Amino acid sequence: RQHGPPPHPAAPPQPAAPDDPNATITGVIVLPAATAKTKPTGTLYLVARRLSDNPTARGTLIAVKKMPATSFPLPFSLSAADMPFQNGPFDGDLTLTARIDRDGDPMTHQKGDVFGTLPKVRVGSRDVKLALDQIQKEAESLAGGGPMMGGGGPMMGGNSGPPAGASMGGSARLPPGHP
């Protein structure tokens, strides 16, 4: 006996409310044998960004989750609760990146950090598998000064930006020190 209409899986996606259980991406982060032998240790950052119209620029930061990189496979769930600031709904297609950061600073990528990326994941996806299958080839800073991975982009906050008047390579979109 059913109560109410049956679920309709072909319904068009609606903008998700912050507490909508469908506005979540769930899955598992795996460490393939090839990268596991580097014995990566540190903090795992899982980052979701909007897809960028510009292939040389990273998309806008939407959500970030910090997890211990102690055992794999590591299950994860990413939702509107993981948004550091409200810059639109947690919906649509996003790029997911997971990285084991050895120095604990999300604004730096150290040579040897292990990471993996899924270029397009739709909010609402289940059983997503994200492999940490790449190794950072050179040190980079997202706070300016060093090579920028994929071009500039909005900073994640903090006051670690360059001093006022310093050049950020023409990719700055916010004033220095602005989150």
Side-chain angles (χ1 to χ4, degrees), residues 144-171:
M148 301 283 275
M149 190 158 110
M155 295 191 299
M156 260 181 54
N159 290 324
S160 61
S167 170
M168 286 185 62
S171 63

Side-chain angles (χ1 to χ4, degrees), residues 8-34:
H8 194 286
Q14 298 295 318
D19 57 354
D20 181 349
N22 295 320
T24 303
I25 299 172
T26 61
V28 64
I29 299 167
V30 297
L31 186 63

